Amino acid sequence: MLLIQYKSTTGDRRVGVLNGDVVTAIAGYASTLDLAQAAIAQGKGLAALAEACATGTNESYEAIATEGRLLAPIDHPDAAHCYVTGTGLTHLGSADTRDAMHKKIGGDVETLSDSMKMFRMGVEGGKPEAGKAGVQPEWFYKGDGSIVRAGGQDMEMPDFSLDGGEEPEIAGLYVIGNDGQPYRIGFALGNEFSDHVTERQNYLYLAHSKLRNCGVGPALLVGELPAHVQGVSRIRAADGSVRWEKAFVSGEQNMSHTIGNLEYHHFKYGLFNRPGDVHIHFFGTATLSFADSVNVQAGETFEIESPQFGPALRNKLVVHPTQFAKVKTL
């Protein structure tokens, strides 16, 4: 099942079931968060509750998207209660990339860079036996709900950035129940947009490079993530032509960690189990236009698409001036 959040033609919030181009509004719930909290309270699955309540008005997805009425597939009325985080060095990539990576991480571990050591640790211990914790992944904080951009919204890059490049990923979407139990409501396409030039200067700049907008959606895939996810990432020039295009893969078949292991090492911290909070967690990628020496320009559009997730995620890159706040002493 695919769910989307959107606004009606009168501006009211809606959550709906997406089938092809038809969006059927879910009666009684104005947001994915409301629907998820009701499913938790009633002890029902999200898909079952959504299907039972999908009795509202039908609309065209294309009309919703064209008219700019799409919302991110999950959000929180208070953006500070939505954590956006991620894990890196988790994907094995294509067969060629995988072979090259194994050659890089072979031999004496002391000769490897810190990044390659981390990747090797994941390959060796990221898929533990059931009931056991595996090795910790690389982890980063990206921001709160204010940085999330829905399909069709601009991806805003601050003018001090050295680069603005896409990262086509799958994001896990979560709601914390009233008892502090994390519930995964599903998965969505994501563009974990980052500043790769800043990161390349020194890996200790990773934290700085991640504090940027991100794209999520348009649709929420309810249920488990397929073991193999295949899609395409594109950069479209201002005139709409494709300037760069490359396939990407995800899912546990293409990862050095299980989803469960990545989730364990995120939610093991009590800070991330606060009742009522929302979490958007990116699982990583092995495909970047930056790796092919592509420098995305303002006015160009990121496009990430995978058939299993329905419509493509599209966001245009724009640059916004930095509003530096000078600190005053009280």
Side-chain angles (χ1 to χ4, degrees), residues 226-246:
H228 176 71
V229 175
Q230 188 166 349
V232 178
S233 181
R234 302 181 184 92
I235 306 298
R236 290 191 179 272
D239 64 2
S241 62
V242 176
R243 187 159 80 86
W244 176 87
E245 178 178 281
K246 201 165 193 175

Side-chain angles (χ1 to χ4, degrees), residues 176-259:
I176 310 301
N178 289 335
D179 60 353
Q181 169 67 47
Y183 290 87
R184 186 200 320 121
I185 63 171
F187 301 89
L189 286 179
N191 181 354
E192 199 273 287
F193 177 73
S194 301
D195 184 339
H196 300 105
V197 172
T198 292
E199 179 187 354
R200 178 171 281 185
Q201 288 181 332
N202 190 305
Y203 79 97
L204 294 176
Y205 281 155
L206 175 71
H208 286 278
S209 75
K210 295 298 186 182
L211 294 173
R212 300 291 188 273
N213 285 176
C214 64
V216 182
L220 159 66
L221 175 66
V222 181
E224 297 296 329
L225 184 68
H228 176 71
V229 175
Q230 188 166 349
V232 178
S233 181
R234 302 181 184 92
I235 306 298
R236 290 191 179 272
D239 64 2
S241 62
V242 176
R243 187 159 80 86
W244 176 87
E245 178 178 281
K246 201 165 193 175
F248 72 90
V249 293
S250 191
E252 288 189 358
Q253 181 179 317
N254 304 294
M255 298 171 64
S256 54
H257 289 260
T258 62
I259 298 297

Side-chain angles (χ1 to χ4, degrees), residues 31-293:
S31 72
T32 305
L33 178 58
D34 290 344
L35 183 68
Q37 289 177 327
I40 294 169
Q42 296 175 30
K44 295 182 178 179
L46 186 66
L49 182 58
E51 185 174 3
C53 298
T55 59
T57 306
N58 288 341
E59 285 198 61
S60 161
Y61 171 83
E62 190 61 32
I64 292 171
T66 301
E67 294 166 13
R69 295 191 279 121
L70 274 175
L71 300 171
I74 184 73
D75 57 5
H76 194 287
D78 180 354
H81 284 277
C82 175
Y83 286 94
V84 185
T85 55
T87 43
L89 302 173
T90 56
H91 279 63
L92 302 169
S94 66
D96 290 343
T97 304
R98 194 174 309 184
D99 182 60
M101 191 64 76
H102 276 282
K103 289 178 180 177
K104 284 184 180 180
I105 64 175
D108 183 8
V109 68
E110 296 305 319
T111 66
L112 300 177
S113 67
D114 286 340
S115 293
M116 288 298 97
K117 287 177 184 177
M118 181 70 74
F119 183 82
R120 177 166 160 168
M121 288 168 63
V123 170
E124 293 176 347
K127 293 184 173 180
E129 297 176 15
K132 294 184 178 181
V135 68
Q136 294 185 116
E138 175 195 55
W139 182 96
F140 59 85
Y141 172 74
K142 191 159 180 68
D144 64 15
S146 66
I147 69 164
V148 177
R149 297 294 177 263
Q153 294 182 334
D154 289 343
M155 194 79 79
E156 300 161 347
M157 179 175 72
D159 57 7
F160 60 77
S161 300
L162 302 180
D163 169 65
E166 87 297 334
E167 296 198 17
E169 304 191 18
I170 306 302
L173 310 183
Y174 306 86
V175 172
I176 310 301
N178 289 335
D179 60 353
Q181 169 67 47
Y183 290 87
R184 186 200 320 121
I185 63 171
F187 301 89
L189 286 179
N191 181 354
E192 199 273 287
F193 177 73
S194 301
D195 184 339
H196 300 105
V197 172
T198 292
E199 179 187 354
R200 178 171 281 185
Q201 288 181 332
N202 190 305
Y203 79 97
L204 294 176
Y205 281 155
L206 175 71
H208 286 278
S209 75
K210 295 298 186 182
L211 294 173
R212 300 291 188 273
N213 285 176
C214 64
V216 182
L220 159 66
L221 175 66
V222 181
E224 297 296 329
L225 184 68
H228 176 71
V229 175
Q230 188 166 349
V232 178
S233 181
R234 302 181 184 92
I235 306 298
R236 290 191 179 272
D239 64 2
S241 62
V242 176
R243 187 159 80 86
W244 176 87
E245 178 178 281
K246 201 165 193 175
F248 72 90
V249 293
S250 191
E252 288 189 358
Q253 181 179 317
N254 304 294
M255 298 171 64
S256 54
H257 289 260
T258 62
I259 298 297
N261 191 53
L262 300 180
E263 291 174 337
Y264 170 79
H265 286 294
H266 179 70
F267 290 109
K268 69 183 182 183
Y269 296 103
L271 169 68
F272 296 146
N273 295 301
R274 185 168 55 193
D277 281 359
V278 166
H279 289 252
I280 299 173
H281 188 80
F282 288 93
F283 292 124
T285 189
T287 305
L288 309 170
S289 64
F290 178 75
D292 290 337
S293 301

